[in-house]
Amino acid sequence: MSEEEFTNWSMGILLTGLIIFMGFIIWDLGKKSGAGKTGMIALFVVLGFGVMGFVFKNILVEFLVMK
């Protein structure tokens, strides 16, 4: 396994773990703050947009680099 392959695998695995952990943090924040159902949905939507933007940026860059 080359260094590039290792980097690609580890980044994919570790970033997935980080995104899952950030989801847990958002859930815990909503639980501890006493946010209701609407508040929890708002937290996941608003804070989840940052994560989705990061993922979308990486996908977009990969498609642009491939051309």
Side-chain angles (χ1 to χ4, degrees), residues 6-45:
F6 176 75
T7 302
N8 288 335
W9 275 91
S10 61
M11 287 296 287
I13 293 169
L14 294 176
L15 281 177
T16 302
L18 180 64
I19 289 170
I20 292 170
F21 182 63
M22 288 171 63
F24 169 74
I25 291 171
I26 294 170
W27 173 78
D28 192 48
L29 177 68
K31 183 179 170 188
K32 286 184 179 178
S33 69
K37 187 176 184 180
T38 307
M40 191 73 79
I41 291 171
L43 279 171
F44 273 102
V45 168

PDB file of all heavy atoms in Angstrom, residues 6-45:
ATOM      1  N   PHE A   6      -2.882   4.976   1.484  1.00  0.00           N
ATOM      2  CA  PHE A   6      -3.098   5.034   2.929  1.00  0.00           C
ATOM      3  C   PHE A   6      -3.754   6.345   3.339  1.00  0.00           C
ATOM      4  O   PHE A   6      -4.684   6.362   4.145  1.00  0.00           O
ATOM      5  CB  PHE A   6      -1.773   4.856   3.677  1.00  0.00           C
ATOM      6  CG  PHE A   6      -1.913   5.011   5.163  1.00  0.00           C
ATOM      7  CD1 PHE A   6      -2.496   4.001   5.914  1.00  0.00           C
ATOM      8  CD2 PHE A   6      -1.482   6.158   5.796  1.00  0.00           C
ATOM      9  CE1 PHE A   6      -2.644   4.138   7.285  1.00  0.00           C
ATOM     10  CE2 PHE A   6      -1.621   6.312   7.163  1.00  0.00           C
ATOM     11  CZ  PHE A   6      -2.201   5.298   7.907  1.00  0.00           C
ATOM     12  N   THR A   7      -3.283   7.444   2.746  1.00  0.00           N
ATOM     13  CA  THR A   7      -3.857   8.750   3.056  1.00  0.00           C
ATOM     14  C   THR A   7      -5.318   8.815   2.645  1.00  0.00           C
ATOM     15  O   THR A   7      -6.167   9.305   3.402  1.00  0.00           O
ATOM     16  CB  THR A   7      -3.061   9.865   2.350  1.00  0.00           C
ATOM     17  OG1 THR A   7      -1.703   9.791   2.763  1.00  0.00           O
ATOM     18  CG2 THR A   7      -3.621  11.230   2.675  1.00  0.00           C
ATOM     19  N   ASN A   8      -5.628   8.327   1.452  1.00  0.00           N
ATOM     20  CA  ASN A   8      -7.023   8.348   0.993  1.00  0.00           C
ATOM     21  C   ASN A   8      -7.915   7.504   1.889  1.00  0.00           C
ATOM     22  O   ASN A   8      -9.028   7.926   2.238  1.00  0.00           O
ATOM     23  CB  ASN A   8      -7.113   7.868  -0.452  1.00  0.00           C
ATOM     24  CG  ASN A   8      -6.564   8.882  -1.421  1.00  0.00           C
ATOM     25  OD1 ASN A   8      -6.538  10.068  -1.147  1.00  0.00           O
ATOM     26  ND2 ASN A   8      -6.104   8.398  -2.566  1.00  0.00           N
ATOM     27  N   TRP A   9      -7.483   6.324   2.258  1.00  0.00           N
ATOM     28  CA  TRP A   9      -8.291   5.458   3.136  1.00  0.00           C
ATOM     29  C   TRP A   9      -8.458   6.080   4.527  1.00  0.00           C
ATOM     30  O   TRP A   9      -9.562   6.129   5.066  1.00  0.00           O
ATOM     31  CB  TRP A   9      -7.623   4.088   3.290  1.00  0.00           C
ATOM     32  CG  TRP A   9      -7.978   3.150   2.187  1.00  0.00           C
ATOM     33  CD1 TRP A   9      -7.309   2.968   1.010  1.00  0.00           C
ATOM     34  CD2 TRP A   9      -9.101   2.266   2.147  1.00  0.00           C
ATOM     35  NE1 TRP A   9      -7.946   2.036   0.251  1.00  0.00           N
ATOM     36  CE2 TRP A   9      -9.044   1.585   0.921  1.00  0.00           C
ATOM     37  CE3 TRP A   9     -10.144   1.998   3.017  1.00  0.00           C
ATOM     38  CZ2 TRP A   9      -9.993   0.644   0.559  1.00  0.00           C
ATOM     39  CZ3 TRP A   9     -11.081   1.059   2.656  1.00  0.00           C
ATOM     40  CH2 TRP A   9     -11.005   0.395   1.443  1.00  0.00           C
ATOM     41  N   SER A  10      -7.353   6.548   5.098  1.00  0.00           N
ATOM     42  CA  SER A  10      -7.430   7.079   6.465  1.00  0.00           C
ATOM     43  C   SER A  10      -8.256   8.358   6.518  1.00  0.00           C
ATOM     44  O   SER A  10      -9.014   8.561   7.466  1.00  0.00           O
ATOM     45  CB  SER A  10      -6.032   7.310   7.033  1.00  0.00           C
ATOM     46  OG  SER A  10      -5.330   8.259   6.259  1.00  0.00           O
ATOM     47  N   MET A  11      -8.142   9.220   5.514  1.00  0.00           N
ATOM     48  CA  MET A  11      -8.951  10.442   5.505  1.00  0.00           C
ATOM     49  C   MET A  11     -10.425  10.106   5.399  1.00  0.00           C
ATOM     50  O   MET A  11     -11.254  10.712   6.084  1.00  0.00           O
ATOM     51  CB  MET A  11      -8.532  11.353   4.355  1.00  0.00           C
ATOM     52  CG  MET A  11      -7.201  12.047   4.579  1.00  0.00           C
ATOM     53  SD  MET A  11      -7.226  13.169   5.975  1.00  0.00           S
ATOM     54  CE  MET A  11      -8.199  14.484   5.299  1.00  0.00           C
ATOM     55  N   GLY A  12     -10.770   9.152   4.556  1.00  0.00           N
ATOM     56  CA  GLY A  12     -12.169   8.757   4.430  1.00  0.00           C
ATOM     57  C   GLY A  12     -12.727   8.190   5.715  1.00  0.00           C
ATOM     58  O   GLY A  12     -13.828   8.557   6.153  1.00  0.00           O
ATOM     59  N   ILE A  13     -11.982   7.320   6.351  1.00  0.00           N
ATOM     60  CA  ILE A  13     -12.442   6.686   7.586  1.00  0.00           C
ATOM     61  C   ILE A  13     -12.492   7.690   8.735  1.00  0.00           C
ATOM     62  O   ILE A  13     -13.487   7.772   9.461  1.00  0.00           O
ATOM     63  CB  ILE A  13     -11.543   5.483   7.936  1.00  0.00           C
ATOM     64  CG1 ILE A  13     -11.719   4.386   6.887  1.00  0.00           C
ATOM     65  CG2 ILE A  13     -11.834   4.965   9.330  1.00  0.00           C
ATOM     66  CD1 ILE A  13     -10.702   3.270   6.985  1.00  0.00           C
ATOM     67  N   LEU A  14     -11.426   8.463   8.905  1.00  0.00           N
ATOM     68  CA  LEU A  14     -11.366   9.393  10.036  1.00  0.00           C
ATOM     69  C   LEU A  14     -12.340  10.555   9.884  1.00  0.00           C
ATOM     70  O   LEU A  14     -12.937  10.986  10.874  1.00  0.00           O
ATOM     71  CB  LEU A  14      -9.934   9.903  10.220  1.00  0.00           C
ATOM     72  CG  LEU A  14      -8.923   8.832  10.647  1.00  0.00           C
ATOM     73  CD1 LEU A  14      -7.522   9.420  10.697  1.00  0.00           C
ATOM     74  CD2 LEU A  14      -9.301   8.219  11.977  1.00  0.00           C
ATOM     75  N   LEU A  15     -12.524  11.049   8.665  1.00  0.00           N
ATOM     76  CA  LEU A  15     -13.493  12.131   8.478  1.00  0.00           C
ATOM     77  C   LEU A  15     -14.918  11.639   8.697  1.00  0.00           C
ATOM     78  O   LEU A  15     -15.752  12.371   9.240  1.00  0.00           O
ATOM     79  CB  LEU A  15     -13.358  12.754   7.092  1.00  0.00           C
ATOM     80  CG  LEU A  15     -12.207  13.740   6.941  1.00  0.00           C
ATOM     81  CD1 LEU A  15     -12.120  14.247   5.507  1.00  0.00           C
ATOM     82  CD2 LEU A  15     -12.355  14.899   7.892  1.00  0.00           C
ATOM     83  N   THR A  16     -15.199  10.409   8.296  1.00  0.00           N
ATOM     84  CA  THR A  16     -16.518   9.834   8.569  1.00  0.00           C
ATOM     85  C   THR A  16     -16.743   9.734  10.067  1.00  0.00           C
ATOM     86  O   THR A  16     -17.815  10.092  10.569  1.00  0.00           O
ATOM     87  CB  THR A  16     -16.648   8.456   7.918  1.00  0.00           C
ATOM     88  OG1 THR A  16     -16.425   8.575   6.506  1.00  0.00           O
ATOM     89  CG2 THR A  16     -18.011   7.853   8.167  1.00  0.00           C
ATOM     90  N   GLY A  17     -15.738   9.267  10.789  1.00  0.00           N
ATOM     91  CA  GLY A  17     -15.836   9.198  12.248  1.00  0.00           C
ATOM     92  C   GLY A  17     -16.015  10.571  12.873  1.00  0.00           C
ATOM     93  O   GLY A  17     -16.798  10.739  13.815  1.00  0.00           O
ATOM     94  N   LEU A  18     -15.324  11.568  12.347  1.00  0.00           N
ATOM     95  CA  LEU A  18     -15.448  12.922  12.869  1.00  0.00           C
ATOM     96  C   LEU A  18     -16.852  13.479  12.629  1.00  0.00           C
ATOM     97  O   LEU A  18     -17.428  14.117  13.524  1.00  0.00           O
ATOM     98  CB  LEU A  18     -14.412  13.840  12.226  1.00  0.00           C
ATOM     99  CG  LEU A  18     -14.424  15.304  12.666  1.00  0.00           C
ATOM    100  CD1 LEU A  18     -14.085  15.415  14.145  1.00  0.00           C
ATOM    101  CD2 LEU A  18     -13.458  16.110  11.830  1.00  0.00           C
ATOM    102  N   ILE A  19     -17.413  13.219  11.464  1.00  0.00           N
ATOM    103  CA  ILE A  19     -18.756  13.706  11.159  1.00  0.00           C
ATOM    104  C   ILE A  19     -19.776  13.032  12.066  1.00  0.00           C
ATOM    105  O   ILE A  19     -20.699  13.682  12.575  1.00  0.00           O
ATOM    106  CB  ILE A  19     -19.071  13.490   9.668  1.00  0.00           C
ATOM    107  CG1 ILE A  19     -18.241  14.451   8.821  1.00  0.00           C
ATOM    108  CG2 ILE A  19     -20.560  13.686   9.389  1.00  0.00           C
ATOM    109  CD1 ILE A  19     -18.292  14.173   7.332  1.00  0.00           C
ATOM    110  N   ILE A  20     -19.625  11.738  12.305  1.00  0.00           N
ATOM    111  CA  ILE A  20     -20.530  11.026  13.220  1.00  0.00           C
ATOM    112  C   ILE A  20     -20.393  11.589  14.634  1.00  0.00           C
ATOM    113  O   ILE A  20     -21.396  11.807  15.328  1.00  0.00           O
ATOM    114  CB  ILE A  20     -20.260   9.511  13.175  1.00  0.00           C
ATOM    115  CG1 ILE A  20     -20.679   8.943  11.822  1.00  0.00           C
ATOM    116  CG2 ILE A  20     -20.981   8.788  14.313  1.00  0.00           C
ATOM    117  CD1 ILE A  20     -20.240   7.526  11.582  1.00  0.00           C
ATOM    118  N   PHE A  21     -19.163  11.854  15.068  1.00  0.00           N
ATOM    119  CA  PHE A  21     -18.931  12.419  16.392  1.00  0.00           C
ATOM    120  C   PHE A  21     -19.543  13.806  16.505  1.00  0.00           C
ATOM    121  O   PHE A  21     -20.121  14.162  17.538  1.00  0.00           O
ATOM    122  CB  PHE A  21     -17.431  12.457  16.693  1.00  0.00           C
ATOM    123  CG  PHE A  21     -17.101  12.973  18.062  1.00  0.00           C
ATOM    124  CD1 PHE A  21     -17.533  12.297  19.198  1.00  0.00           C
ATOM    125  CD2 PHE A  21     -16.362  14.127  18.217  1.00  0.00           C
ATOM    126  CE1 PHE A  21     -17.237  12.776  20.462  1.00  0.00           C
ATOM    127  CE2 PHE A  21     -16.053  14.606  19.473  1.00  0.00           C
ATOM    128  CZ  PHE A  21     -16.496  13.932  20.597  1.00  0.00           C
ATOM    129  N   MET A  22     -19.451  14.610  15.445  1.00  0.00           N
ATOM    130  CA  MET A  22     -20.055  15.934  15.464  1.00  0.00           C
ATOM    131  C   MET A  22     -21.576  15.835  15.554  1.00  0.00           C
ATOM    132  O   MET A  22     -22.218  16.674  16.193  1.00  0.00           O
ATOM    133  CB  MET A  22     -19.630  16.728  14.237  1.00  0.00           C
ATOM    134  CG  MET A  22     -18.180  17.163  14.305  1.00  0.00           C
ATOM    135  SD  MET A  22     -17.554  17.872  12.793  1.00  0.00           S
ATOM    136  CE  MET A  22     -18.557  19.315  12.625  1.00  0.00           C
ATOM    137  N   GLY A  23     -22.160  14.810  14.925  1.00  0.00           N
ATOM    138  CA  GLY A  23     -23.597  14.579  15.067  1.00  0.00           C
ATOM    139  C   GLY A  23     -23.960  14.279  16.506  1.00  0.00           C
ATOM    140  O   GLY A  23     -24.983  14.763  17.016  1.00  0.00           O
ATOM    141  N   PHE A  24     -23.131  13.479  17.179  1.00  0.00           N
ATOM    142  CA  PHE A  24     -23.365  13.196  18.599  1.00  0.00           C
ATOM    143  C   PHE A  24     -23.257  14.465  19.431  1.00  0.00           C
ATOM    144  O   PHE A  24     -24.050  14.679  20.353  1.00  0.00           O
ATOM    145  CB  PHE A  24     -22.373  12.151  19.107  1.00  0.00           C
ATOM    146  CG  PHE A  24     -22.390  12.005  20.595  1.00  0.00           C
ATOM    147  CD1 PHE A  24     -23.430  11.357  21.232  1.00  0.00           C
ATOM    148  CD2 PHE A  24     -21.369  12.543  21.366  1.00  0.00           C
ATOM    149  CE1 PHE A  24     -23.462  11.243  22.611  1.00  0.00           C
ATOM    150  CE2 PHE A  24     -21.385  12.433  22.746  1.00  0.00           C
ATOM    151  CZ  PHE A  24     -22.437  11.776  23.365  1.00  0.00           C
ATOM    152  N   ILE A  25     -22.296  15.319  19.120  1.00  0.00           N
ATOM    153  CA  ILE A  25     -22.132  16.569  19.854  1.00  0.00           C
ATOM    154  C   ILE A  25     -23.364  17.457  19.681  1.00  0.00           C
ATOM    155  O   ILE A  25     -23.848  18.059  20.649  1.00  0.00           O
ATOM    156  CB  ILE A  25     -20.850  17.304  19.397  1.00  0.00           C
ATOM    157  CG1 ILE A  25     -19.614  16.529  19.852  1.00  0.00           C
ATOM    158  CG2 ILE A  25     -20.805  18.731  19.937  1.00  0.00           C
ATOM    159  CD1 ILE A  25     -18.316  17.038  19.286  1.00  0.00           C
ATOM    160  N   ILE A  26     -23.888  17.541  18.466  1.00  0.00           N
ATOM    161  CA  ILE A  26     -25.090  18.343  18.222  1.00  0.00           C
ATOM    162  C   ILE A  26     -26.258  17.768  19.012  1.00  0.00           C
ATOM    163  O   ILE A  26     -27.031  18.513  19.636  1.00  0.00           O
ATOM    164  CB  ILE A  26     -25.409  18.396  16.714  1.00  0.00           C
ATOM    165  CG1 ILE A  26     -24.315  19.163  15.966  1.00  0.00           C
ATOM    166  CG2 ILE A  26     -26.770  19.049  16.468  1.00  0.00           C
ATOM    167  CD1 ILE A  26     -24.416  19.056  14.457  1.00  0.00           C
ATOM    168  N   TRP A  27     -26.418  16.456  18.996  1.00  0.00           N
ATOM    169  CA  TRP A  27     -27.506  15.815  19.748  1.00  0.00           C
ATOM    170  C   TRP A  27     -27.363  16.089  21.243  1.00  0.00           C
ATOM    171  O   TRP A  27     -28.332  16.427  21.922  1.00  0.00           O
ATOM    172  CB  TRP A  27     -27.507  14.316  19.474  1.00  0.00           C
ATOM    173  CG  TRP A  27     -28.482  13.556  20.316  1.00  0.00           C
ATOM    174  CD1 TRP A  27     -29.826  13.473  20.142  1.00  0.00           C
ATOM    175  CD2 TRP A  27     -28.176  12.797  21.481  1.00  0.00           C
ATOM    176  NE1 TRP A  27     -30.373  12.696  21.120  1.00  0.00           N
ATOM    177  CE2 TRP A  27     -29.384  12.259  21.960  1.00  0.00           C
ATOM    178  CE3 TRP A  27     -26.999  12.507  22.154  1.00  0.00           C
ATOM    179  CZ2 TRP A  27     -29.443  11.471  23.092  1.00  0.00           C
ATOM    180  CZ3 TRP A  27     -27.049  11.715  23.265  1.00  0.00           C
ATOM    181  CH2 TRP A  27     -28.270  11.212  23.736  1.00  0.00           C
ATOM    182  N   ASP A  28     -26.144  15.963  21.770  1.00  0.00           N
ATOM    183  CA  ASP A  28     -25.893  16.196  23.190  1.00  0.00           C
ATOM    184  C   ASP A  28     -26.144  17.660  23.558  1.00  0.00           C
ATOM    185  O   ASP A  28     -26.700  17.955  24.617  1.00  0.00           O
ATOM    186  CB  ASP A  28     -24.461  15.789  23.537  1.00  0.00           C
ATOM    187  CG  ASP A  28     -24.216  15.728  25.024  1.00  0.00           C
ATOM    188  OD1 ASP A  28     -25.055  15.111  25.724  1.00  0.00           O
ATOM    189  OD2 ASP A  28     -23.202  16.280  25.483  1.00  0.00           O
ATOM    190  N   LEU A  29     -25.750  18.573  22.680  1.00  0.00           N
ATOM    191  CA  LEU A  29     -25.999  20.000  22.910  1.00  0.00           C
ATOM    192  C   LEU A  29     -27.494  20.273  23.009  1.00  0.00           C
ATOM    193  O   LEU A  29     -27.944  20.983  23.910  1.00  0.00           O
ATOM    194  CB  LEU A  29     -25.374  20.818  21.782  1.00  0.00           C
ATOM    195  CG  LEU A  29     -25.587  22.321  21.805  1.00  0.00           C
ATOM    196  CD1 LEU A  29     -24.833  22.928  22.974  1.00  0.00           C
ATOM    197  CD2 LEU A  29     -25.117  22.922  20.503  1.00  0.00           C
ATOM    198  N   GLY A  30     -28.267  19.692  22.107  1.00  0.00           N
ATOM    199  CA  GLY A  30     -29.712  19.892  22.147  1.00  0.00           C
ATOM    200  C   GLY A  30     -30.344  19.274  23.377  1.00  0.00           C
ATOM    201  O   GLY A  30     -31.258  19.842  23.974  1.00  0.00           O
ATOM    202  N   LYS A  31     -29.849  18.114  23.780  1.00  0.00           N
ATOM    203  CA  LYS A  31     -30.390  17.425  24.961  1.00  0.00           C
ATOM    204  C   LYS A  31     -30.090  18.212  26.235  1.00  0.00           C
ATOM    205  O   LYS A  31     -30.970  18.407  27.075  1.00  0.00           O
ATOM    206  CB  LYS A  31     -29.790  16.026  25.038  1.00  0.00           C
ATOM    207  CG  LYS A  31     -30.324  15.189  26.162  1.00  0.00           C
ATOM    208  CD  LYS A  31     -29.684  13.816  26.145  1.00  0.00           C
ATOM    209  CE  LYS A  31     -30.033  13.062  27.404  1.00  0.00           C
ATOM    210  NZ  LYS A  31     -29.300  11.819  27.519  1.00  0.00           N
ATOM    211  N   LYS A  32     -28.848  18.677  26.378  1.00  0.00           N
ATOM    212  CA  LYS A  32     -28.463  19.398  27.592  1.00  0.00           C
ATOM    213  C   LYS A  32     -29.087  20.788  27.674  1.00  0.00           C
ATOM    214  O   LYS A  32     -29.301  21.299  28.766  1.00  0.00           O
ATOM    215  CB  LYS A  32     -26.940  19.507  27.670  1.00  0.00           C
ATOM    216  CG  LYS A  32     -26.281  18.200  28.046  1.00  0.00           C
ATOM    217  CD  LYS A  32     -24.789  18.354  28.215  1.00  0.00           C
ATOM    218  CE  LYS A  32     -24.183  17.028  28.621  1.00  0.00           C
ATOM    219  NZ  LYS A  32     -22.729  17.121  28.743  1.00  0.00           N
ATOM    220  N   SER A  33     -29.378  21.396  26.521  1.00  0.00           N
ATOM    221  CA  SER A  33     -29.967  22.733  26.543  1.00  0.00           C
ATOM    222  C   SER A  33     -31.478  22.686  26.718  1.00  0.00           C
ATOM    223  O   SER A  33     -32.099  23.731  26.899  1.00  0.00           O
ATOM    224  CB  SER A  33     -29.629  23.482  25.253  1.00  0.00           C
ATOM    225  OG  SER A  33     -30.305  22.903  24.161  1.00  0.00           O
ATOM    226  N   GLY A  34     -32.057  21.510  26.659  1.00  0.00           N
ATOM    227  CA  GLY A  34     -33.491  21.377  26.837  1.00  0.00           C
ATOM    228  C   GLY A  34     -34.284  21.775  25.602  1.00  0.00           C
ATOM    229  O   GLY A  34     -35.456  22.123  25.704  1.00  0.00           O
ATOM    230  N   ALA A  35     -33.642  21.719  24.454  1.00  0.00           N
ATOM    231  CA  ALA A  35     -34.342  22.049  23.218  1.00  0.00           C
ATOM    232  C   ALA A  35     -35.396  20.985  22.953  1.00  0.00           C
ATOM    233  O   ALA A  35     -35.168  19.795  23.137  1.00  0.00           O
ATOM    234  CB  ALA A  35     -33.358  22.111  22.052  1.00  0.00           C
ATOM    235  N   GLY A  36     -36.535  21.421  22.524  1.00  0.00           N
ATOM    236  CA  GLY A  36     -37.603  20.484  22.205  1.00  0.00           C
ATOM    237  C   GLY A  36     -37.358  19.848  20.848  1.00  0.00           C
ATOM    238  O   GLY A  36     -36.257  19.893  20.290  1.00  0.00           O
ATOM    239  N   LYS A  37     -38.418  19.258  20.328  1.00  0.00           N
ATOM    240  CA  LYS A  37     -38.308  18.577  19.044  1.00  0.00           C
ATOM    241  C   LYS A  37     -37.950  19.569  17.929  1.00  0.00           C
ATOM    242  O   LYS A  37     -37.073  19.297  17.108  1.00  0.00           O
ATOM    243  CB  LYS A  37     -39.631  17.885  18.726  1.00  0.00           C
ATOM    244  CG  LYS A  37     -39.599  17.009  17.523  1.00  0.00           C
ATOM    245  CD  LYS A  37     -40.929  16.284  17.358  1.00  0.00           C
ATOM    246  CE  LYS A  37     -40.886  15.320  16.197  1.00  0.00           C
ATOM    247  NZ  LYS A  37     -42.152  14.614  16.026  1.00  0.00           N
ATOM    248  N   THR A  38     -38.601  20.715  17.923  1.00  0.00           N
ATOM    249  CA  THR A  38     -38.327  21.730  16.910  1.00  0.00           C
ATOM    250  C   THR A  38     -36.918  22.293  17.060  1.00  0.00           C
ATOM    251  O   THR A  38     -36.217  22.512  16.066  1.00  0.00           O
ATOM    252  CB  THR A  38     -39.351  22.873  16.999  1.00  0.00           C
ATOM    253  OG1 THR A  38     -40.663  22.316  16.957  1.00  0.00           O
ATOM    254  CG2 THR A  38     -39.171  23.864  15.881  1.00  0.00           C
ATOM    255  N   GLY A  39     -36.498  22.520  18.287  1.00  0.00           N
ATOM    256  CA  GLY A  39     -35.150  23.022  18.529  1.00  0.00           C
ATOM    257  C   GLY A  39     -34.079  22.044  18.099  1.00  0.00           C
ATOM    258  O   GLY A  39     -33.054  22.431  17.546  1.00  0.00           O
ATOM    259  N   MET A  40     -34.326  20.755  18.345  1.00  0.00           N
ATOM    260  CA  MET A  40     -33.364  19.736  17.945  1.00  0.00           C
ATOM    261  C   MET A  40     -33.259  19.659  16.422  1.00  0.00           C
ATOM    262  O   MET A  40     -32.153  19.549  15.877  1.00  0.00           O
ATOM    263  CB  MET A  40     -33.789  18.378  18.514  1.00  0.00           C
ATOM    264  CG  MET A  40     -32.739  17.312  18.393  1.00  0.00           C
ATOM    265  SD  MET A  40     -31.356  17.518  19.512  1.00  0.00           S
ATOM    266  CE  MET A  40     -32.053  16.896  21.016  1.00  0.00           C
ATOM    267  N   ILE A  41     -34.401  19.750  15.754  1.00  0.00           N
ATOM    268  CA  ILE A  41     -34.385  19.737  14.284  1.00  0.00           C
ATOM    269  C   ILE A  41     -33.635  20.961  13.766  1.00  0.00           C
ATOM    270  O   ILE A  41     -32.824  20.862  12.834  1.00  0.00           O
ATOM    271  CB  ILE A  41     -35.824  19.687  13.730  1.00  0.00           C
ATOM    272  CG1 ILE A  41     -36.448  18.324  14.028  1.00  0.00           C
ATOM    273  CG2 ILE A  41     -35.848  19.973  12.238  1.00  0.00           C
ATOM    274  CD1 ILE A  41     -37.926  18.224  13.721  1.00  0.00           C
ATOM    275  N   ALA A  42     -33.872  22.117  14.367  1.00  0.00           N
ATOM    276  CA  ALA A  42     -33.185  23.343  13.952  1.00  0.00           C
ATOM    277  C   ALA A  42     -31.672  23.215  14.154  1.00  0.00           C
ATOM    278  O   ALA A  42     -30.891  23.632  13.288  1.00  0.00           O
ATOM    279  CB  ALA A  42     -33.717  24.538  14.724  1.00  0.00           C
ATOM    280  N   LEU A  43     -31.256  22.641  15.269  1.00  0.00           N
ATOM    281  CA  LEU A  43     -29.825  22.447  15.512  1.00  0.00           C
ATOM    282  C   LEU A  43     -29.194  21.556  14.451  1.00  0.00           C
ATOM    283  O   LEU A  43     -28.133  21.869  13.903  1.00  0.00           O
ATOM    284  CB  LEU A  43     -29.598  21.818  16.894  1.00  0.00           C
ATOM    285  CG  LEU A  43     -29.632  22.753  18.083  1.00  0.00           C
ATOM    286  CD1 LEU A  43     -29.617  21.956  19.380  1.00  0.00           C
ATOM    287  CD2 LEU A  43     -28.456  23.703  18.040  1.00  0.00           C
ATOM    288  N   PHE A  44     -29.842  20.432  14.167  1.00  0.00           N
ATOM    289  CA  PHE A  44     -29.283  19.516  13.176  1.00  0.00           C
ATOM    290  C   PHE A  44     -29.259  20.134  11.783  1.00  0.00           C
ATOM    291  O   PHE A  44     -28.298  19.939  11.039  1.00  0.00           O
ATOM    292  CB  PHE A  44     -30.048  18.188  13.160  1.00  0.00           C
ATOM    293  CG  PHE A  44     -29.518  17.202  14.150  1.00  0.00           C
ATOM    294  CD1 PHE A  44     -30.167  16.989  15.345  1.00  0.00           C
ATOM    295  CD2 PHE A  44     -28.368  16.490  13.885  1.00  0.00           C
ATOM    296  CE1 PHE A  44     -29.675  16.088  16.266  1.00  0.00           C
ATOM    297  CE2 PHE A  44     -27.865  15.585  14.795  1.00  0.00           C
ATOM    298  CZ  PHE A  44     -28.523  15.376  15.991  1.00  0.00           C
ATOM    299  N   VAL A  45     -30.298  20.882  11.433  1.00  0.00           N
ATOM    300  CA  VAL A  45     -30.337  21.492  10.104  1.00  0.00           C
ATOM    301  C   VAL A  45     -29.271  22.576   9.980  1.00  0.00           C
ATOM    302  O   VAL A  45     -28.468  22.565   9.036  1.00  0.00           O
ATOM    303  CB  VAL A  45     -31.745  22.055   9.799  1.00  0.00           C
ATOM    304  CG1 VAL A  45     -31.728  22.929   8.559  1.00  0.00           C
ATOM    305  CG2 VAL A  45     -32.741  20.924   9.639  1.00  0.00           C
TER     306      VAL A  45
END
